[in-house]
Amino acid sequence: MKKLVMIGNGMAGVRTIEEILKLVPEKFEITIFGEEPHPNYNRIKLSNILQGDTSFDEIIINPLDWYRENNIQLYTGESVVKIDAKAKRVISDQGREVEYDELIIATGSKSFILPIAGADKQGVTGFRDIHDCEMMIKSSKEYKKAVVIGGGLLGLEAARGLLNLGMKVDVVHLMPVLMERQLDHIAASMLKAELEAQGMNFLMEKETVEILGDERVTGLRFKDGFEVEADLIVMAIGIKSNTEVAKNSGIYVNRGIVVNDFMETSVPHIYAVGECAEHREIVYGLVAPLYEQGKVLANRISGFEAEPYKGSVTGTQLKVAGVDLFSAGEIFEDGTTKSIMAYNEYDGNYKRILTRDNRIVGIVLYGDTKDSTKLFRMLTKQEDISGMTSVSILQSECSASGTSSDDIASMPNDELVCGCNGVTKGAIVEAIKTQGLTTLDQVSHCTNAGRSCGRCKPLVSSILAHTLGDQFDVYAAQKTSICGCTTLSREELVEEIKAKGLTSVKEVMNVLGWNNEEGCTKCRPAINYYLGMIHMDEYKDDRDSRLVNEKMHANIQKDGTYSVVPRMYGGVTTPQDLIKIAKVAEKYNVPLVKLTGGQRIGLFGIKKEDLPNIWEELNMPSGYAYGKTLRTVKTCVGAQFCRYGTQDSMALGIELEKKFERLDTPNKVKMGVSACPRNCSEAGIKDIGFVGIDGGWEIYVGGNGGVDLRAGDLFCTVKSQEEVMEMTGAYLQYYRETANYLERTSKWLERLGLEHIQGVMANEETRKALNERMDKTLKKYIEPWDEAIHSEEIQEKYYTKHTIKVGE
Amino acid sequence: MLQTITRIPVANYSNLKARAGYSIKIDDKEIALFKTTNGIVYALENRSPHPKGGVLSEGLVSGDYVFCPVYDWKISLKDGLVQAPDTGYVKTFNIEIEKDIIFVVL
């Protein structure tokens, strides 16, 4: 394998690696150096973090697992200080030396910090990475007054975030208008008025010459002698490509690292991509062109013929503090241009189209940006507009979608609709036609269009309307269906099953007009679940509508082998069971024997054809470690042995596990039982957790220790073990009947509300009815491993591998 | 160049259940055999084209498609093409059926 090293771990670089892995998954041994101590995250969303809309975890694009799964050696918190192009190796600041065959420089950029006195004081920051964000959030807790230097996009977003954090904010700008590279005077003054109304204070045409203060900033002084107070200064004047390592290593650098149309630098086998690269004298800072560069570079490095990168015309869709803006091309008139303008001060809308020789060369839209896609297309395609009236150019049609049918009809098939994911009109139309799609949601699922920034959704919707013609239903198109095979939502599906008395997956799909005759991996398991929930013990499970793990009653591993986890009620075992497990592990050369997170023993790496024999020799029930069902009930030792235990946690755990095992639920359910509030079984992060107290049990619900980390809410306190069983049965059944398939209890509880569920459970009659339906459902289950051992048909269909030797 | 065409008998048609996948090892080749609801039998290489691989035989069969069990890619049984938004291709093998015996043509 060849060695590929990348310096930098940001959006453009990692996107390039993703593209390379798609093209040639096995070709390179990849090493990435990242200066920041994090995996790759979405820098565009930093302003959302600052504004408190999202958390850092939510903006991570490639979690550490991604690097591991793709065998990428990642060094975080480590930067490369030297490239030895002769020996083809890089040297890090920690002295690490790594050799390469191909090297990508994707070092990005940093905030440009004004070279003025005092710029190194405490409380001065850029706005570029998560560290800057955290510093600003922390400052807002101790200090009151912030000054943002720079009235461009980044500066205004930082200012809006600081207002949200409760600070008083001045914005200092060198120019007389805000965002002068994107907006003309009228749009800029409308924006300024809006932001002033939101509480920002502007200091225009001010040049900062000194930052005041001792150790920490106290204010700043302008060229005209004017001074303002400040506890925090954010510099958002622009970016500067990170080029030091390239420059020091003899690579040609201008403003950025200079690359040709294939992203190659002046030194062979060294490439640059992203904000550190300068292509045809332009350094791009927006994500779409950087992703385009990444694609070109990936093709080049992978050895495929690639179209050269010819530069990008960028249109900027911005949302600043709730105001929609769009800007593309030229902004200012120069004597050869003619403008078409529409200015509606009353509604706060403004449009200006700049034309030259009957072609659009610039667009500024403020407020209403519906037409941006159409106009931007006319700009990039250099369409002749001489036949159009200015009104038809400016006016958005009154349809729900904003783009008329004529526009769609005249749009060529190879035209890009979703720039983020590279989806063309042709691909969308084809997906709609061949897969019978009718909603926006379905189109997004099938093509990826509209799944990143969402800006193309109106256009996708227009294409959908145009392609479907009379069959297009505006309202249906907006709704969230359970999958691309139907327009029905979960509620409608359950209603229809009940109303029409449907009893099999096939019947549901036939009667309710599924557009894929046999459904997909999203709807088939869901329908199977809903049917079982509705018809209780009268429904015959459709095993082939379950996904691999539930179908096989074992967890598939990444190499196609399986794991076996036998039941160990309440985490309590016996010497006999341990001996059986040990013997099986030895006899079948099981590669891994491991204690699972749910207090039992897992055997990993088992061949599918060995499963029935292993189950037979174990002679233990399935632990359902693979199912959307009750997994385990984790228990502490409790009153039987522990000197702190107030209740018999093991006995309750075993009773719960024996009663509810095998039950189908919308998603997996985990329980924990602790005998005292020390809570050794971690019952507070289980779907249902039980904590013994003097004279009873506390029941906690909606806890989650996984992806959606959430502490459980105290649901109620009961006196006896019988009451625990009664409440748990009713609660679980209510979850089964009202949750969406695949919805964990934590999300379900937040959707319905704790108080609502408490209200339902307060009624004894309701609980009784729920428990009756639960008990009727539980009657249908049989032990699946035992069933498999005794059925040749099941073994033949699911667990046989036929081996044929040719020529024998 | 001479090409040898080998026909390998792999299963009895009447033994195969609809919407099921079967894994068959011929020497060191692994083949997944699928029978659809319409009774058509297809043979594909038993390996998902996803960069991380995995088997296909345990996937969910819907019409003339199978969904890769580990990464949920939708793959056409007819020509082995991965359906959008993913891309890729699985090698397919021709099938011949004579008197209830299914032959895979290698």
Side-chain angles (χ1 to χ4, degrees):
Chain A
M1 268 211 246
K2 285 190 150 188
K3 296 190 183 70
L4 173 63
V5 172
M6 185 162 82
I7 312 175
N9 185 31
M11 294 173 72
V14 176
R15 178 48 122 21
T16 308
I17 299 289
E18 281 182 339
E19 298 277 358
I20 292 172
L21 288 170
K22 252 193 245 169
L23 294 168
V24 281
E26 309 282 339
K27 180 165 180 181
F28 291 108
E29 194 182 310
I30 301 173
T31 306
I32 299 180
F33 287 91
E35 206 173 359
E36 289 183 69
H38 306 289
N40 176 32
Y41 60 89
N42 190 341
R43 225 169 270 274
I44 303 170
K45 302 268 181 182
L46 281 177
S47 48
N48 299 58
I49 291 211
L50 199 59
Q51 293 170 14
D53 299 338
T54 187
S55 67
F56 182 60
D57 279 350
E58 284 175 71
I59 69 166
I60 290 177
I61 305 177
N62 303 82
L64 289 173
D65 279 347
W66 176 83
Y67 295 86
R68 263 195 295 275
E69 282 164 14
N70 289 295
N71 294 319
I72 295 171
Q73 175 66 53
L74 173 68
Y75 298 112
T76 55
E78 190 168 338
S79 56
V80 168
V81 290
K82 174 97 187 119
I83 302 165
D84 183 347
K86 256 194 207 130
K88 288 179 103 178
R89 70 175 168 216
V90 298
I91 301 148
S92 84
D93 57 353
Q94 297 181 20
R96 193 191 306 277
E97 297 191 9
V98 179
E99 291 184 352
Y100 66 82
D101 294 302
E102 312 287 345
L103 174 68
I104 301 175
I105 306 178
T107 41
S109 66
K110 56 175 170 281
S111 297
F112 179 67
I113 299 287
L114 287 173
I116 51 175
D120 53 353
K121 289 192 196 308
Q122 271 181 34
V124 180
T125 178
F127 180 34
R128 205 57 210 140
D129 56 30
I130 188 68
H131 176 76
D132 296 337
C133 262
E134 283 164 354
M135 188 274 201
M136 285 156 77
I137 291 168
K138 195 163 155 254
S139 301
S140 74
K141 291 183 180 139
E142 293 170 50
Y143 302 100
K144 291 258 146 45
K145 174 70 193 294
V147 171
V148 176
I149 304 180
L153 170 65
L154 211 57
L156 296 178
E157 286 198 331
R160 180 62 249 181
L162 291 166
L163 276 183
N164 280 23
L165 292 169
M167 296 190 84
K168 206 171 158 299
V169 184
D170 288 347
V171 176
V172 176
H173 197 46
L174 187 63
M175 309 298 284
V177 292
L178 295 176
M179 293 179 64
E180 70 282 351
R181 281 162 63 192
Q182 285 92 18
L183 302 182
D184 64 7
H185 287 64
I186 298 177
S189 60
M190 289 172 84
L191 179 65
K192 183 160 168 263
E194 167 64 31
L195 295 176
E196 277 169 344
Q198 293 184 17
M200 269 178 223
N201 181 39
F202 290 98
L203 304 166
M204 307 298 281
E205 297 182 74
K206 294 275 186 223
E207 186 181 343
T208 314
V209 290
E210 188 184 353
I211 290 172
L212 310 172
D214 295 327
E215 255 181 53
R216 192 182 173 89
V217 295
T218 56
L220 63 170
R221 181 186 299 135
F222 304 116
K223 201 173 182 182
D224 58 10
F226 189 73
E227 289 181 10
V228 289
E229 286 181 12
D231 307 314
L232 172 70
I233 293 178
V234 179
M235 295 219 195
I237 344 160
I239 57 168
K240 207 176 147 199
S241 299
N242 286 323
T243 57
E244 292 81 359
V245 70
K247 202 185 258 172
N248 296 340
S249 312
I251 297 166
Y252 179 53
V253 170
N254 185 27
R255 271 173 58 223
I257 302 165
V258 176
V259 294
N260 64 12
D261 288 356
F262 294 100
M263 314 314 293
E264 294 163 332
T265 68
S266 62
V267 175
H269 301 289
I270 302 183
Y271 312 81
V273 69
E275 289 178 327
C276 65
E278 177 181 326
H279 172 263
R280 298 192 186 178
E281 296 180 8
I282 300 177
V283 175
Y284 291 92
L286 292 167
V287 75
L290 302 186
Y291 281 1
E292 272 179 57
Q293 293 180 352
K295 204 157 199 163
V296 172
L297 175 54
N299 273 313
R300 188 67 167 185
I301 283 194
S302 309
F304 289 89
E305 286 278 325
E307 287 276 304
Y309 179 65
K310 293 177 182 151
S312 310
V313 180
T314 53
T316 329
Q317 174 92 33
L318 310 168
K319 202 178 180 82
V320 182
V323 182
D324 284 312
L325 301 170
F326 180 82
S327 159
E330 300 174 30
I331 307 299
F332 298 107
E333 301 188 308
D334 64 358
T336 66
T337 54
K338 292 197 171 88
S339 289
I340 309 170
M341 276 170 45
Y343 181 21
N344 181 339
E345 194 177 2
Y346 182 75
D347 289 338
N349 284 332
Y350 171 71
K351 302 175 184 183
R352 179 197 206 111
I353 314 298
L354 217 54
T355 69
R356 183 185 292 120
D357 304 333
N358 290 325
R359 278 166 180 82
I360 295 178
V361 293
I363 307 163
V364 173
L365 305 175
Y366 181 99
D368 174 7
T369 59
K370 276 205 296 290
D371 292 336
S372 59
T373 333
K374 175 182 99 177
L375 293 169
F376 185 57
R377 169 165 55 79
M378 290 163 78
L379 183 149
T380 49
K381 296 262 159 173
Q382 304 186 359
E383 277 178 34
D384 190 333
I385 56 166
S386 50
M388 301 173 74
T389 61
S390 48
V391 172
S392 72
I393 295 172
L394 278 180
Q395 202 166 45
S396 48
E397 286 72 13
C398 295
S399 69
S401 40
T403 314
S404 78
S405 233
D406 288 350
D407 288 339
I408 302 295
S410 61
M411 203 172 158
N413 270 335
D414 61 350
E415 185 165 321
L416 213 55
V417 172
C418 174
C420 303
N421 294 297
V423 186
T424 61
K425 178 200 169 194
I428 293 173
V429 171
E430 163 138 3
I432 294 169
K433 284 189 177 150
T434 57
Q435 307 192 42
L437 313 180
T438 55
T439 71
L440 187 56
D441 212 41
Q442 293 171 333
V443 176
S444 290
H445 272 305
C446 292
T447 63
N448 272 339
R451 291 185 93 170
S452 296
C453 77
R455 170 180 144 198
C456 62
K457 278 186 175 170
L459 185 57
V460 176
S461 182
S462 298
I463 295 173
L464 185 66
H466 177 74
T467 312
L468 292 179
D470 293 344
Q471 291 159 20
F472 180 66
D473 178 343
V474 178
Y475 297 101
Q478 308 292 336
K479 157 179 99 171
T480 313
S481 54
I482 58 169
C483 72
C485 305
T486 178
T487 56
L488 294 175
S489 66
R490 183 261 182 210
E491 276 67 33
E492 290 167 328
L493 173 62
V494 169
E495 266 322 298
E496 291 280 349
I497 292 175
K498 286 181 183 164
K500 298 200 162 83
L502 307 176
T503 55
S504 74
V505 175
K506 195 174 171 192
E507 197 181 21
V508 168
M509 295 191 294
N510 281 343
V511 174
L512 301 180
W514 243 241
N515 57 39
N516 286 325
E517 217 174 307
E518 296 189 37
C520 70
T521 46
K522 296 194 177 62
C523 60
R524 283 252 295 269
I527 299 170
N528 188 45
Y529 169 76
Y530 293 133
L531 285 167
M533 179 268 286
I534 292 165
H535 299 305
M536 298 181 266
D537 61 337
E538 282 148 25
Y539 175 64
K540 188 180 175 304
D541 191 74
D542 180 12
R543 187 161 180 169
D544 290 323
S545 285
R546 291 182 180 264
L547 299 187
V548 59
N549 289 351
E550 295 196 332
K551 181 164 79 178
M552 302 296 287
H553 284 286
N555 263 0
I556 195 164
Q557 310 294 320
K558 62 184 217 181
D559 62 351
T561 64
Y562 290 84
S563 62
V564 167
V565 182
R567 193 61 83 180
M568 204 171 266
Y569 297 95
V572 180
T573 183
T574 62
Q576 291 75 30
D577 278 350
L578 290 175
I579 289 167
K580 275 196 287 190
I581 292 173
K583 281 195 169 150
V584 164
E586 209 168 47
K587 174 168 168 191
Y588 289 89
N589 274 323
V590 173
L592 175 72
V593 183
K594 188 186 181 310
L595 297 184
T596 70
Q599 292 190 336
R600 41 204 189 164
I601 294 172
L603 306 173
F604 294 82
I606 289 168
K607 291 191 205 85
K608 135 175 129 165
E609 53 273 28
D610 285 338
L611 287 171
N613 290 335
I614 288 186
W615 294 337
E616 186 163 12
E617 285 170 46
L618 284 173
N619 190 25
M620 294 165 76
S622 163
Y624 275 83
Y626 45 78
K628 317 256 175 267
T629 174
L630 174 66
R631 293 286 176 87
T632 57
V633 183
K634 187 171 180 175
T635 67
C636 70
V637 169
Q640 288 188 35
F641 286 87
C642 175
R643 62 196 167 117
Y644 299 114
T646 49
Q647 295 284 357
D648 191 345
S649 49
M650 290 190 296
L652 175 60
I654 291 168
E655 187 179 349
L656 283 163
E657 196 164 339
K658 288 205 158 153
K659 167 145 189 185
F660 297 113
E661 68 175 325
R662 305 184 191 116
L663 176 71
D664 288 301
T665 43
N667 206 328
K668 61 186 169 187
V669 171
K670 298 176 175 184
M671 298 189 194
V673 187
S674 289
C676 79
R678 287 171 191 76
N679 213 340
C680 293
S681 73
E682 291 146 0
I685 49 163
K686 301 294 178 199
D687 293 273
I688 313 181
F690 308 87
V691 176
I693 50 172
D694 255 336
W697 295 91
E698 287 176 343
I699 303 182
Y700 289 83
V701 294
N704 191 307
V707 174
D708 170 38
L709 189 62
R710 185 180 190 277
D713 296 308
L714 180 59
F715 190 73
C716 63
T717 304
V718 298
K719 293 202 176 65
S720 66
Q721 198 155 323
E722 290 76 56
E723 284 175 79
V724 166
M725 297 306 291
E726 194 237 348
M727 187 58 81
T728 305
Y731 178 88
L732 263 184
Q733 181 64 15
Y734 193 56
Y735 165 58
R736 298 183 68 238
E737 291 178 4
T738 55
N740 298 326
Y741 185 65
L742 295 185
E743 187 175 35
R744 288 292 295 270
T745 64
S746 51
K747 292 284 180 201
W748 168 75
L749 181 117
E750 285 186 353
R751 184 164 62 85
L752 268 60
L754 176 67
E755 281 177 23
H756 163 81
I757 303 170
Q758 283 171 325
V760 172
M761 292 301 135
N763 184 323
E764 200 185 329
E765 284 300 308
T766 310
R767 287 204 309 272
K768 191 163 164 243
L770 284 165
N771 268 310
E772 278 167 11
R773 292 199 289 277
M774 166 66 80
D775 291 341
K776 190 163 155 53
T777 307
L778 283 169
K779 273 198 278 183
K780 72 177 164 188
Y781 295 103
I782 48 170
E783 213 304 296
W785 290 357
D786 193 55
E787 185 191 18
I789 297 164
H790 293 104
S791 162
E792 266 182 39
E793 194 186 323
I794 291 178
Q795 286 184 35
E796 164 70 22
K797 182 164 173 187
Y798 297 106
Y799 302 107
T800 309
K801 176 169 275 176
H802 302 267
T803 305
I804 297 165
K805 291 218 164 71
V806 181
E808 281 178 17
Chain B
M1 198 178 88
L2 263 180
Q3 222 180 353
T4 345
I5 294 177
T6 333
R7 264 188 6 158
I8 315 287
V10 290
N12 285 98
Y13 182 83
S14 54
N15 286 348
L16 300 188
K17 303 276 184 298
R19 294 195 308 177
Y22 297 83
S23 52
I24 290 159
K25 206 166 176 187
I26 304 176
D27 289 340
D28 46 5
K29 257 196 209 62
E30 249 204 68
I31 287 173
L33 210 59
F34 297 96
K35 185 174 179 183
T36 67
T37 306
N38 294 337
I40 304 170
V41 177
Y42 294 105
L44 285 80
E45 190 183 356
N46 194 13
R47 183 181 153 80
S48 168
H50 187 280
K52 281 183 261 166
V55 292
L56 293 179
S57 48
E58 276 83 54
L60 184 140
V61 181
S62 166
D64 292 320
Y65 297 95
V66 63
F67 289 82
C68 136
V70 185
Y71 305 104
D72 204 27
W73 281 16
K74 186 178 181 180
I75 297 157
S76 166
L77 295 172
K78 286 184 181 163
D79 53 18
L81 280 181
V82 176
Q83 306 295 300
D86 307 303
T87 53
Y89 159 79
V90 186
K91 189 169 163 51
T92 56
F93 299 92
N94 283 336
I95 289 282
E96 285 169 14
I97 302 173
E98 273 169 34
K99 293 178 189 158
D100 202 45
I101 297 171
I102 298 173
F103 295 89
V104 171
V105 183
L106 291 180

